[in-house]
Amino acid sequence: MDKELKLTVTLRPAGLDDRRGIVRLPPEVMEALQINPGDPVRLRGRTTTAALAAKADPAAGQKLLHVDDITLGNLGVREGTEVAVIRRPAVAARRVTLAATDDIVALTSPEDLRLALLGKVVSVGDRVSLRPQDVLPLAGRPQVANAHRRLRNRLGYQWNVALLTVVEVEEADAAVVTMDTVVGWQDGTTSTPVPGPQASAGELAATDPEVPPLSLDDLPGMRAQAQELQELLDLGFNHREVLDRLGTTISLGVLISGPAGSGKSALVRAVAAQVEARVVQVWAPGLAALTNTAAAGRLRELAREAGQGGPTVLLFSDVDALAPREEPGPISIVFRQVLEETVRAGVAVVATTSRPESVDPALRSPELLAVQLAVPLPDTAMRLEQLRVLTRGMPLAEDVRLDDVAGRTPGFVAADLGALAREAGVRAALRQTDRGQDAAAAPEQPEAPKVTMADFEAALDVVRPTSMADSTLEVASVTLDDVGDMVEVKQTLTESVLWPLTYPDTFARLGVSPPRGVLLYGPPGCGKTYLVKAIAGTGKANVLSVKGAELLSKWVGDSERAVRELFRRAREAAPTLVFLDEVDALAPTRGQANDGGTTDRVVAALLTELDGVEDLRNVVVIGATNRPDLIDPALLRPGRLERLVYVPPPDAEARAEILKASAKSVPLDKEVDLVRLGAELEGFSAADCAALIRESALSAMRESLEATTVTAGNVATARQRVRPSLDPGQVAWLAAYAETHQA
């Protein structure tokens, strides 16, 4: 019997591994199982799957198995579950058959399908993606890169999120796809088991004329950008004579910025189809990885091809890799020269980036990329529209509330929502499969499969936003209505935060500017962060959250750049709520630090962003602190964090409500009187009250692991362990500060 080890699954894949059929194992586990990087491994959870092994960071934990969302779904388990890891000898697959939606099958040739799966280990019943396994060494890498580009052209952002089902694997239940493997669709079309010729530079991404053009109806939320780009290309390609009569010219250089996965390249292809122009797409990081001589030659070859054959759009994806702001190399100079010559020749050049602040400013000159468009992060309404498009081919159950899903997905771009919808479909398929097995003995009338709200709930547990994961607040399923007491505080937050984001037209009609920001201050543990999560739970805005110290860096200029980047993303994602936790660490009084002036420069950058030349529309900033006296006074004047809101410690009534909320799922004995208990907990913060309930339950477990209720005796024991954390002196000082600084 093969040796196996048990590891705990964690959804923390490396960015390069995501959706590529790779899992990362601790080095000790790989040594114990005699596994080398790139070897197949069998994973057994609720179901069995297989993947390629790679080494995890030794500091990441010795008992963790790092997987992505697809592998987690194939295992049929949740994050934190133990699964078995078994070494599996490499077996080459003779034939692999897959199934997918009609549009994916129609747009993906079996040859490109094989190259996308090359080097991956596949199992019957698994879901796999089209993202190529190009992290670990494999044969045919240039062909894989070319297939990758063709798939990006034909499928748009779907290439990144589309999921395929493995229907059959000939030779074994799990095997590795090689260049000799016959790969095909369930409809019968297959690849030829011989290596294909290498694609030329022009074949990298020229759109296949037989591929149906994308429709702008499939890209909701980008109609304004599409109209502006369409007008520009139509004028430049089809109405040059009008420009000649007016004695003017037009520049067809465009820079499109927006979060990764938001559909920038898909937008370009859809508009190009409307104006009957072909698209030649280039992945800039691939060019940047070549030698300077090879990259320069490839650029000139692509420019020559784009200049032939009628109206053409030359599309550079992720252009910041080719023309970086910091330390641009020789290839950047060649790129600017080729760019200028190409635009002057009448070819449209469109560059996309998810990091506009990292792009060489020289590219934005009038002779190069003169027009700039921004694809925003979707708000709730836009996410709802995108979800309707993404699920229109799915049989949804009556309990599915897409508006609720849209409200719970701040920070999600189109690609993330597509992954969410597909994961929900996977959950529904797994449920139907299990039900079909259970009812195999009585097949009277199988129920029509549908995707339910429970499937979306499960998908929300594993799918995370990729575009803003580092700073997106985890949205709780609570709103301000769920916050007990604090009537005045909730009213002030509603007026200062929710009204500007919800009713901007009303402020404009009355001719006043909405409040720019709010400072929440109060003793530790009294619910400042919880209030912000409750506001985020309303779903009225995208939420960016950073702790003050996270923006500070020892490198000169990095902290200020981080502040500028934060507010740039906030503007693009408007309406946006920016939450600065522990803001006193980020913006202390200037002139008192001994850090070489870093915090002083950060304060200056923060003040400029809040109330500078560039207007901050539909963006509200909330700061939280328990030391308002340490914050630079300039940050608290009108136009910045102008509303100071005191969050007091809970009184007896509020403590009783907090205890009830904390004990909602705890089986308390009838003799436990939470109202009386709340009156007795003088000096307890909200966090202390929650800790008391938790400790009471642990006390019951200590008495007996078979305990079914928490008694008054358990609560009394817990009170001896949990002490009030509020400092009476600090509370008195904050109350006095609140009297002199009314909101």
Side-chain angles (χ1 to χ4, degrees):
M1 181 177 178
D2 293 332
K3 184 178 180 181
E4 66 179 56
L5 290 176
K6 293 291 185 69
L7 296 179
T8 301
V9 174
T10 179
L11 192 64
R12 297 289 187 273
L16 290 176
D17 301 347
D18 193 25
R19 295 181 162 243
R20 299 181 193 272
I22 295 174
V23 296
R24 291 198 175 262
L25 305 171
E28 299 83 359
V29 172
M30 297 186 69
E31 183 177 353
L33 295 178
Q34 298 181 339
I35 297 173
N36 297 315
D39 286 350
V41 291
R42 179 185 294 277
L43 308 173
R44 187 173 68 244
R46 184 183 173 200
T47 57
T48 301
T49 185
L52 298 178
K55 281 187 178 180
D57 186 342
Q62 298 183 359
K63 296 184 178 180
L64 295 180
L65 172 67
H66 299 258
V67 305
D68 58 15
D69 57 336
I70 296 181
T71 306
L72 193 65
N74 288 338
L75 284 167
V77 300
R78 290 178 176 268
E79 186 177 9
T81 305
E82 274 198 347
V83 301
V85 181
I86 310 164
R87 182 177 181 272
R88 179 180 181 82
V91 177
R94 290 184 56 187
R95 178 185 294 269
V96 175
T97 305
L98 300 105
T101 58
D102 292 343
D103 56 337
I104 300 297
V105 173
L107 297 176
T108 306
S109 69
E111 293 293 335
D112 284 344
L113 179 61
R114 177 175 60 186
L115 291 170
L117 298 177
L118 186 63
K120 293 184 181 181
V121 54
V122 294
S123 304
V124 175
D126 274 2
R127 305 279 277 182
V128 296
S129 79
L130 288 169
R131 297 193 70 172
Q133 193 293 97
D134 53 4
V135 178
L136 299 172
L138 53 85
R141 176 167 285 186
Q143 294 160 292
V144 172
N146 294 339
H148 175 195
R149 289 170 172 81
R150 288 194 293 272
L151 290 171
R152 283 170 62 99
N153 279 331
R154 299 184 179 188
L155 300 177
Y157 65 80
Q158 287 193 81
W159 81 271
N160 195 28
V161 299
L163 293 182
L164 323 175
T165 302
V166 181
V167 177
E168 178 188 10
V169 179
E170 192 172 321
E171 285 296 329
D173 60 342
V176 179
V177 177
T178 69
M179 291 300 290
D180 294 325
T181 304
V182 177
V183 179
W185 294 114
Q186 198 172 21
D187 64 1
T189 57
T190 60
S191 60
T192 305
V194 292
Q198 300 226 358
S200 66
E203 192 184 350
L204 284 177
T207 302
D208 189 336
E210 297 181 1
V211 176
L214 294 171
S215 169
L216 291 177
D217 293 336
D218 296 329
L219 302 172
M222 292 187 282
R223 293 185 179 88
Q225 294 84 350
Q227 182 178 357
E228 186 173 351
L229 182 60
Q230 182 174 347
E231 290 174 351
L232 179 73
L233 297 183
D234 184 55
L235 187 60
F237 288 151
N238 303 323
H239 302 287
R240 288 277 184 176
E241 71 284 355
V242 177
L243 297 171
D244 293 339
R245 287 199 298 268
L246 294 173
T248 187
T249 59
I250 189 172
S251 174
L252 292 180
V254 182
L255 176 65
I256 302 180
S257 62
S262 56
K264 301 182 292 295
S265 298
L267 168 68
V268 175
R269 288 192 298 274
V271 172
Q274 294 292 318
V275 298
E276 298 181 352
R278 68 188 182 110
V279 177
V280 176
Q281 184 170 351
V282 187
W283 190 46
L287 278 179
L290 301 176
T291 64
N292 291 333
T293 302
R298 183 68 60 85
L299 275 172
R300 297 191 184 282
E301 184 179 350
L302 288 166
R304 282 195 300 271
E305 181 188 345
Q308 305 169 357
T312 303
V313 177
L314 184 56
L315 174 60
F316 289 93
S317 300
D318 300 327
V319 72
D320 48 279
L322 198 57
R325 183 188 187 97
E326 304 294 336
E327 300 180 3
I331 189 60
S332 298
I333 300 174
V334 176
F335 178 58
R336 290 200 300 270
Q337 181 183 1
V338 171
L339 205 62
E340 184 175 359
E341 294 172 354
T342 306
V343 172
R344 192 183 301 123
V347 175
V349 177
V350 181
T352 69
T353 180
S354 58
R355 302 189 303 159
E357 73 286 350
S358 301
V359 177
D360 186 356
L363 286 184
R364 307 184 190 191
S365 67
E367 296 79 19
L368 299 177
L369 306 180
V371 180
Q372 299 179 41
L373 301 176
V375 176
L377 192 70
D379 58 13
T380 306
M382 193 184 300
R383 292 195 298 271
L384 176 58
E385 192 175 357
Q386 290 175 341
L387 281 169
R388 285 171 176 163
V389 170
L390 292 167
T391 59
R392 62 189 176 192
M394 301 175 68
L396 300 180
E398 294 182 358
D399 66 337
V400 174
R401 302 179 304 278
L402 292 180
D403 54 344
D404 182 38
V405 177
R408 296 174 57 184
T409 50
F412 278 58
V413 294
D416 300 325
L417 294 173
L420 180 69
R422 285 170 174 77
E423 180 63 22
V426 170
R427 302 285 172 166
L430 288 172
R431 190 183 66 255
Q432 291 294 326
T433 302
D434 293 344
R435 184 178 300 170
Q437 292 174 350
D438 295 339
E444 290 92 1
Q445 196 169 6
E447 181 183 349
K450 288 189 176 183
V451 181
T452 67
M453 192 64 187
D455 298 322
F456 279 99
E457 296 277 357
L460 284 168
D461 289 338
V462 297
V463 180
R464 295 288 184 266
T466 57
S467 61
M468 311 181 81
D470 292 339
S471 57
T472 298
L473 183 69
E474 184 74 21
V475 176
S477 57
V478 295
T479 65
L480 286 177
D481 295 334
D482 300 310
V483 179
D485 201 40
M486 296 190 189
V487 176
E488 294 183 3
V489 173
K490 291 193 292 184
Q491 180 62 29
T492 302
L493 289 177
T494 299
E495 296 174 359
S496 304
V497 179
L498 295 183
W499 284 5
L501 298 174
T502 310
Y503 310 112
D505 296 341
T506 303
F507 283 93
R509 185 168 61 251
L510 296 177
V512 294
S513 299
R516 187 64 50 81
V518 176
L519 176 68
L520 296 177
Y521 66 98
C526 289
K528 298 183 291 297
T529 303
Y530 186 79
L531 278 168
V532 177
K533 287 188 175 183
I535 293 174
T538 62
K540 300 295 184 182
N542 297 303
V543 185
L544 301 182
S545 172
V546 291
K547 289 182 172 61
E550 290 179 353
L551 294 178
L552 298 178
S553 170
K554 65 179 181 179
W555 304 110
V556 176
D558 277 3
S559 299
E560 304 93 288
R561 184 181 299 111
V563 173
R564 292 195 299 270
E565 164 67 1
L566 173 66
F567 281 89
R568 179 194 64 78
R569 287 189 293 171
R571 289 186 181 91
E572 289 186 354
T576 310
L577 171 63
V578 179
F579 177 43
L580 303 176
D581 202 3
E582 306 297 343
V583 70
D584 52 285
L586 179 64
T589 303
R590 286 172 288 182
Q592 297 184 4
N594 57 359
D595 57 1
T598 298
T599 53
D600 289 356
R601 292 192 297 271
V602 169
V603 173
L606 189 59
L607 296 176
T608 302
E609 292 293 342
L610 281 171
D611 190 20
V613 175
E614 190 172 0
D615 196 10
L616 201 63
R617 294 190 180 92
N618 293 334
V619 176
V620 176
V621 180
I622 296 182
T625 181
N626 51 33
R627 292 298 305 272
D629 56 314
L630 297 183
I631 300 175
D632 191 276
L635 191 63
L636 305 180
R637 73 159 177 79
R640 292 165 181 165
L641 301 184
E642 60 187 74
R643 303 294 297 274
L644 275 63
V645 181
Y646 177 49
V647 182
D651 56 17
E653 182 180 350
R655 290 194 296 269
E657 292 297 326
I658 294 168
L659 290 169
K660 291 177 182 177
S662 301
K664 189 177 296 183
S665 58
V666 177
L668 294 177
D669 192 87
K670 294 181 179 180
E671 62 184 358
V672 178
D673 187 349
L674 294 181
V675 175
R676 187 181 65 184
L677 180 62
E680 297 173 353
L681 297 179
E682 189 66 34
F684 275 60
S685 67
D688 297 335
C689 294
L692 179 63
I693 295 296
R694 185 167 56 251
E695 184 61 31
S696 300
L698 289 174
S699 176
M701 292 176 64
R702 293 188 191 101
E703 290 183 359
S704 172
L705 291 177
E706 304 297 327
T708 58
T709 60
V710 176
T711 66
N714 299 137
V715 176
T717 302
R719 286 195 60 183
Q720 296 176 3
R721 290 175 173 267
V722 179
R723 301 295 183 183
S725 63
L726 293 178
D727 180 359
Q730 184 185 33
V731 172
W733 183 89
L734 287 169
Y737 185 91
E739 290 181 2
T740 58
H741 298 78
Q742 292 293 334

